[in-house]
Every structure is written in C-alpha cells, then in structure tokens.
Amino acid sequence: MNAINRLATVISLATLFPLVVHAAESKGTVEVVHWWTSGGEAKSVNVLKQIVEKDGFTWQDSAVAGGGGAAAMTVLKTRAISGNPPSAAQIKGPDIQEWGKLDLLTNVDDVAKANKWDSLLPQTVADIMKYDGHYVAVPVNIHRINWLWINPVVLKKAGVAKAPTTLEELYAAGDKLKAAGFVAIAHGGQPWQDTTVFEDLVLSIMGADGYKKALIDNDEEALTSSKMTEVFAALRKLQSYMDPDGTGQDWNIEAAKVISGKAGMQIMGDWVKSEWTAAGKNAGTDYECVPFPGSQGIYTYTIDSLVMFKLSKKNDTPGNNAARDDLAKVALEPEFQYVFNQNKGSIPVIKGLDMSKFDSCAQASAKDFAEAEKAGTLEPSMAFNMSTSQAVQGAIFDVVSNFMSDKKADPSKAGKQMYTAIKAAAQ
Ligand code: GAL
C-alpha cells in the first residue's frame, strides 16, 4: 500500500468509525418512574418504551412495585429531595399542583403546541395536566374504577344465574359461591384495595351527590351521616366474602385466582383487564365486566399521567431533553393510544379514536363515560388520587384499613373518625 492509499484508508476509517458509533449510540435518555409492574401492565408500558427506542432514545425504566403507587411516591420524594429526579414520573390529579408548587417541574408547552394538545384533550383533562397555565404532564389513559369483574363459568357452577346488579344480589352471589367452595371475592387486603371497595360502596349507597359531598368536598354532614354508617356496615358484610388468604396480597395475584377459576369475582379498576388480556382471555366470553352493583350510571375515573421533572445539572443535556419531549409527543399519538390502552385495560384519553377496535368492556367504558359526563355523574376517584391531596387520601386509607382489620370496630363511629382524620391531614 502506497502512502496515498494508506492515507485514504485512514481517512475513510476515521469518517466511518464515528458513523458506526453514532448508529449504535442513543440520542438521549428518558428515565421514567412508574408502578406498572404486574405482567399485563409491564407489557403495556413496554409499548411506550419500544416507541421511544424506535425514535433513537434510551428508555431507563425505574419501576417501583406496589399497586396504587404509594411505594413509587415514597421513592420519588426521596429522589426529588436529594436532587436526583427522573425525567418523568407517574403522578396524578391534584398532586401535580403540589409538585408544581415545589418548583421541581418543567413544561412541555412546545410539544403541546406543535401537536395541538389543547384540541386533542378534553378540557378537564388538559386543566389537570397544567400548572400555572403550562403543560407539565402528559396523560396516557382513562381508567374506570367502579367495576365488578366476573368469571361466568365459576358463577354458573355455583348456581348464580346472572351478574349481580344490586348489593343484595352481590351478597346472594357471594353466599352461593362460598357454599360451592369458591373464593367469592378475590381481594388483596392492602389499604388501597380496601379503599377501592369502600369508595364503590359510597357510590352505591350514597349516590353521585353523596360521593361528591363525602369524598370530594369532605363535608362533615355527609361523612357522619347514617348513610355513611350503612356504607361501613356493607363493607363489613362484603369482607365476609373476601379471600381468606388475601391479607397483604397484590391485586394481580388475586386477579389470577379469578382467571384460573378459583374465585368468582373481583372489585377492581379496569387495569385488571391487563391481566386477563395477558392470559389470552377475552372480554364478554371468558370474563364479564359490570358496573359495581348499585353504582350504574356513575363513572369514577383516574387518569394516569407522566409528569416532567427539571433535570439535575448532570443530566440536563440537549439529548435528554429531546428524549423527554419525544416521550411526551408519542404518548398522545393514536398509534400509542390504541396499543397501550388495549393492553392496559383503559380507554384512550384523546378525543375521536375509533372504539370499534377495542373489546366490549372498553366500549362499555367509553359509552358510560360519555353518558356520565352528560348526566353530571362523572366523578374523580378518591382512592386513585384524583379528588384529594395525598395527605387527605392517606388519612382516608388509614381509617378504612383500620376498620377492616378491627372486626369489632363500630360502623356508626367510622365516619366521624374519617372526618376528624381528614381535618387533621388537610391542615
Ligand atoms: C393506579 C393506576 C393504574 C394501576 C393501578 C394498580 O393508581 O392508575 O394504572 O397501575 O394503580 O397499580
């Protein structure tokens, strides 16, 4: 090889090499804290990861196990305080405002403007995602909470002719299931799961107005009413149908008992569908979804959203900012909204998507959402962070779970205890 050829080889290697490195190199990293760790939910979040990676960015997964997200919030607080926030974290409802006040969030207004979020999102949803008029979060879905999930084969075996529509029918189904040797209600005894049942009973016994007064306005009269005594008495009654092995159990482990035919029913938000879907089961045939008995016409919701944090000095690079913006952009694109929500069990948060691609439970959810919106019975879920601060929610969780664990607790005193606990927490 003569000198000129040698030089040419060196030059071409030098120009080639960076190219090779670049092709494999990521354009930036987005780190996301979330609590989607069950089989079905991990599959759902993987959809987002794959799209972000296809766009050339690195997804750093910081999942913290624990249904309802209490453990994830603890980790997030510690990280934020020590100046090491992730790029984005799953935070919902009024808490977004609390984080905003701490001056820890950044906005994605440019992405929102370029992608017309103001017209894509329902106004109420857009408002929740904004702090001080700026988009600091991107919503990904709408979950309905007040559902009852049923294994129809199990109900049939126990001689239950149809899905219960009233509390009386629910108790009757529970009696038959127990008598036939099944777990009547698969339920994990964790505060957030207990409170899900409590919240549903408030809807069922006190109606949408009573729910609003008690669990959104935290009104003393509603919380200490005789109707609230009825709610706690019904909670005690339902407890007698719950899985005797459910103490401290995760929701997805309990869901598996309904899927496998060991249990007949589960009271849970529609993320439980992610487990049925992951197990290859179909809505309407393998399982049924009906509104929680007595709460027909009311729709309690939670909206999962990813909140954007100001990056630490070390991580604040153009590439990482671009990665965060990419995440925000793809989260509201139809491609993601379809696939993610089909896996997750929720319905799309953007307007105008074709629901015929979804299963019968999702279609029912979308229809009931629209009807409840019109009727004024669309309510933010307390148990899933949409109606109160975390402190108030924590106080309610404590009262409900103490009531569940103390079998002698008096239903007529629990409402008063709840009011007092809420007052103390709200200060
Ligand atoms: C909720 C969340 C759902 C689901 C559920 C169980 O807070 O909105 O997406 O993850 O917790 O962990």
Side-chain angles (χ1 to χ4, degrees), residues 35-36 41 66-69 90 92 141 143 145 192 251 268 271 302-304 344 383-385:
W35 60 89
W36 293 324
E41 291 200 312
Q90 193 184 348
K92 297 188 286 184
N141 60 5
H143 271 303
I145 310 305
W192 70 272
W251 64 272
M268 187 52 63
W271 47 87
T302 191
I303 297 169
D304 287 317
K344 184 78 168 67
F384 295 93
N385 316 75

Side-chain angles (χ1 to χ4, degrees), residues 37-39 193 249-257 259 266 272 275:
T37 57
S38 76
Q193 293 186 63
Q249 200 60 268
D250 288 332
W251 64 272
N252 51 315
I253 306 287
E254 291 299 316
K257 296 182 186 174
I259 297 171
Q266 186 174 17
V272 79
E275 295 305 296

Side-chain angles (χ1 to χ4, degrees), residues 194-324:
D194 294 343
T195 309
T196 303
V197 180
F198 165 76
E199 176 174 296
D200 285 343
L201 285 169
V202 172
L203 297 176
S204 185
I205 293 170
M206 301 176 72
D209 276 355
Y211 174 86
K212 192 171 171 302
K213 282 191 190 126
L215 299 185
I216 300 178
D217 303 339
N218 301 141
D219 170 63
E220 180 172 12
E221 216 181 293
L223 283 165
T224 58
S225 63
S226 59
K227 285 280 175 200
M228 188 54 87
T229 304
E230 262 183 60
V231 168
F232 277 100
L235 185 59
R236 183 67 79 221
K237 171 102 180 147
L238 274 189
Q239 195 173 21
S240 67
Y241 300 112
M242 290 174 180
D243 183 4
D245 297 327
T247 314
Q249 200 60 268
D250 288 332
W251 64 272
N252 51 315
I253 306 287
E254 291 299 316
K257 296 182 186 174
V258 193
I259 297 171
S260 71
K262 202 168 171 243
M265 308 182 279
Q266 186 174 17
I267 300 162
M268 187 52 63
D270 44 21
W271 47 87
V272 79
K273 208 151 60 95
S274 66
E275 295 305 296
W276 287 91
T277 305
K281 306 287 184 185
N282 293 312
T285 47
D286 299 317
Y287 65 97
E288 285 172 19
C289 54
V290 292
F292 180 78
S295 75
Q296 293 86 341
I298 313 177
Y299 188 114
T300 40
Y301 65 89
T302 191
I303 297 169
D304 287 317
S305 45
L306 298 173
V307 169
M308 310 303 174
F309 279 80
K310 281 184 185 160
L311 293 171
S312 67
K313 226 178 188 165
K314 178 171 78 91
N315 291 330
D316 193 3
T317 64
N320 292 346
N321 283 300
R324 181 214 42 239

Side-chain angles (χ1 to χ4, degrees), residues 111-143:
V111 180
K113 205 163 166 215
N115 296 280
K116 305 196 172 54
W117 286 11
D118 277 340
S119 51
L120 262 188
L121 293 172
Q123 176 79 42
T124 21
V125 179
D127 289 347
I128 300 170
M129 302 305 135
K130 288 179 185 170
Y131 174 71
D132 205 14
H134 300 283
Y135 275 107
V136 293
V138 62
V140 290
N141 60 5
I142 298 173
H143 271 303

Side-chain angles (χ1 to χ4, degrees), residues 8 31 148 214 220 296 350:
E31 188 199 354
L148 177 71
E220 180 172 12
Q296 293 86 341
I350 59 175

